[in-house]
Amino acid sequence: MLSQETIKIIKSTVPVLEKHGKEITTHFYSQMLSKHPELLNIFNHANQREGRQQTALANTVYAAAANIDNLGAIIPVVKQIGQKHRALGVLPEHYPIVGENLLAAIKDVLGDAATDEIINAWAEAYGVIADAFIGIEAEMYKEAKEQPGGWDRFRNFIVERKVKESDVITSFYLKPEDGLDIASYQAGQYLTVRVQPDGDTYTHIRHYSLSAAPEKDYYRISVKREEQGVVSSYLHLDVEEGDVLEVSAPAGEFMLEQNELPAVLISGGVGLTPMVSMLHTIIKEQPNREVTFIHGALNGNVHALRDEVTEAASKSKHVKSFAAYSNPTEQDRKNQNYDKEGFIDSEWLKSIAGTSQADFYFCGPVPFMKKIYAALKEWGVPSEQMHFEFFGPAGEIE
């Protein structure tokens, strides 16, 4: 427990963190990674380069400071980050390194304003927060290892099949090299892949949503090749059937809730991958649940898994499937294989979803996510009925 004096001091720094948080975390990562380059084997280099990691940490530090007198309020955030840490292989010994460099960054950026009193208070607070992360992550490591088919850290998987799903998305079917059982997962969760392309000094780790229903003897991830994506390009161009990938056990807090509410699954681009997993899971486990599957894509050339979704929907009277193409090709128009030209907007969403009394799941690019979130909020959908996988600082969705 923190003393009232420490809580008071931390609270007083909230306005400073709001103003200088990004500057502090940018300096922090620069200093820490120069002293401990081995951590580049864990951190996402692209997120570092584009500033996403710095913003995410700044938001987390700000939230911790703002809720320092009620840290229970940020436990959901701790769990979400903890899932990623477990999947990446973050360990207790990493936390002192982070703490030392974070306090140094606060001192460097704020200068004389960062008094000994403030630094000492933050050192005490960081210790409490780090212990919370370490404790929660220890349970996650234990659960991942001890569950049926589970394992610790990374395990070798063979690429049994590699299937091109669209011009930009390819699926990889993964089976364990040791031939033993694999852990199940919840629809919506992700798999974490670690690779080291030829010539790279460090390993690269990425999270990819699982795109098939659980309870199979393989995992499937469907990966979009990003133009500057080191890992996605490596998977698309260099990895072939029979190759081996290092994979950590399924993780993630974005999961399908199996209740009686209708489910509305909304995706943009490669964001459809967890939605396809959810769709198959509902059809299998809740065959009478009403489902509306809504996908937005540029056109049919980049619309992955379309036939799979259409076939699944055709076999159930409780499933409806819709697609919006923002720039359909002439072949799309000829085949009439989409339902709306343009983007998924509020009016169209309401007309096909039918009711706001549903569970809404959505995933896609950041602008898409913001737009869907705003539309659902304006429609009056309760926050507890909005579920999303947001690959960026969570506060940005507002």
Side-chain angles (χ1 to χ4, degrees):
M1 296 293 292
L2 295 172
S3 69
Q4 286 302 310
E5 182 63 21
T6 296
I7 290 172
K8 180 181 177 182
I9 294 170
I10 297 297
K11 282 280 191 182
S12 73
T13 66
V14 169
V16 179
L17 292 174
E18 186 173 23
K19 182 178 180 181
H20 297 287
K22 180 72 177 293
E23 185 182 357
I24 290 170
T25 56
T26 299
H27 184 63
F28 154 75
Y29 278 116
S30 175
Q31 292 298 308
M32 183 178 69
L33 294 176
S34 66
K35 295 177 184 176
H36 297 275
E38 72 277 5
L39 294 178
L40 286 167
N41 287 307
I42 297 176
F43 287 105
N44 186 315
H45 303 191
N47 283 347
Q48 286 289 317
R49 186 173 58 250
E50 296 170 17
R52 292 194 295 263
Q53 193 83 54
Q54 294 87 332
T55 301
L57 178 61
N59 289 345
T60 302
V61 172
Y62 174 80
N67 293 279
I68 198 68
D69 52 349
N70 179 27
L71 288 175
I74 66 168
I75 289 299
V77 176
V78 173
K79 287 184 176 180
Q80 184 182 33
I81 297 172
Q83 288 274 4
K84 294 189 185 300
H85 283 181
R86 196 277 296 161
L88 293 168
V90 172
L91 299 172
E93 54 261 38
H94 294 133
Y95 281 90
I97 296 172
V98 170
E100 176 188 343
N101 285 277
L102 183 59
L103 293 175
I106 292 173
K107 183 69 176 176
D108 288 347
V109 171
L110 300 185
D112 292 341
T115 62
D116 289 344
E117 186 180 45
I118 288 175
I119 294 299
N120 290 336
W122 263 105
E124 183 184 348
Y126 177 80
V128 170
I129 295 167
D131 285 345
F133 272 99
I134 291 169
I136 286 174
E137 288 162 18
E139 287 299 314
M140 291 177 176
Y141 276 109
K142 181 180 178 182
E143 181 181 348
K145 182 179 180 179
E146 296 182 357
Q147 65 182 313
W151 68 93
D152 189 35
R153 305 291 293 279
F154 287 87
R155 179 179 175 187
N156 287 345
F157 277 72
I158 296 171
V159 179
E160 185 189 48
R161 293 172 59 204
K162 180 180 179 182
V163 179
K164 185 176 181 179
E165 307 287 6
S166 77
D167 286 356
V168 295
I169 295 174
T170 293
S171 287
F172 298 83
Y173 291 73
L174 309 175
K175 282 195 169 185
E177 186 180 45
D178 57 24
L180 301 177
D181 291 342
I182 59 173
S184 187
Y185 57 91
Q186 298 295 314
Q189 291 190 302
Y190 54 81
L191 209 61
T192 303
V193 177
R194 180 170 70 182
V195 302
Q196 188 167 8
D198 290 342
D200 276 33
T201 304
Y202 303 104
T203 56
H204 297 262
I205 305 178
R206 295 292 186 276
H207 308 300
Y208 294 112
S209 296
L210 287 144
S211 60
E215 308 304 335
K216 300 183 185 295
D217 64 350
Y218 63 84
Y219 294 130
R220 183 179 76 174
I221 55 173
S222 301
V223 179
K224 178 186 177 185
R225 185 188 174 195
E226 302 291 350
E227 195 170 322
Q228 302 297 322
V230 173
V231 179
S232 64
S233 294
Y234 175 75
L235 293 174
H236 274 249
L237 301 177
D238 297 325
V239 172
E240 301 295 344
E241 293 178 356
D243 288 346
V244 174
L245 295 174
E246 292 184 298
V247 173
S248 67
E253 292 290 295
F254 180 53
M255 294 178 283
L256 176 69
E257 294 186 8
Q258 296 196 3
N259 54 40
E260 298 305 314
L261 286 173
V264 182
L265 312 177
I266 312 167
S267 56
V270 75
L272 93 166
T273 53
M275 303 305 164
V276 173
S277 177
M278 290 182 181
L279 174 65
H280 288 310
T281 301
I282 293 172
I283 291 173
K284 179 182 177 182
E285 299 182 6
Q286 296 179 286
N288 295 320
R289 187 176 184 182
E290 298 295 326
V291 183
T292 305
F293 191 101
I294 307 167
H295 182 62
L298 181 68
N299 53 48
N301 293 338
V302 297
H303 185 175
L305 305 170
R306 178 179 59 198
D307 293 343
E308 182 176 320
V309 170
T310 300
E311 181 182 359
S314 70
K315 294 179 178 178
S316 173
K317 64 180 181 180
H318 298 288
V319 178
K320 300 179 293 182
S321 174
F322 301 91
Y325 288 173
S326 58
N327 188 22
T329 65
E330 288 304 316
Q331 191 64 40
D332 291 329
R333 292 192 173 95
K334 181 180 178 181
N335 294 339
Q336 296 185 327
N337 56 356
Y338 61 99
D339 302 282
K340 181 184 188 299
E341 183 166 347
F343 296 101
I344 299 173
D345 55 35
S346 178
E347 183 179 349
W348 188 60
L349 177 59
K350 290 179 183 178
S351 71
I352 57 179
T355 176
S356 61
Q357 298 305 307
D359 266 340
F360 292 83
Y361 298 84
F362 53 105
C363 183
V366 172
F368 170 88
M369 296 285 289
K370 291 182 176 180
K371 187 173 183 179
I372 298 300
Y373 181 85
L376 295 178
K377 195 170 183 180
E378 183 270 332
W379 197 8
V381 176
S383 58
E384 62 269 19
Q385 290 169 218
M386 287 193 274
H387 315 274
F388 50 88
E389 183 72 287
F390 189 68
F391 292 104
E396 283 189 7
I397 201 167
E398 296 280 1

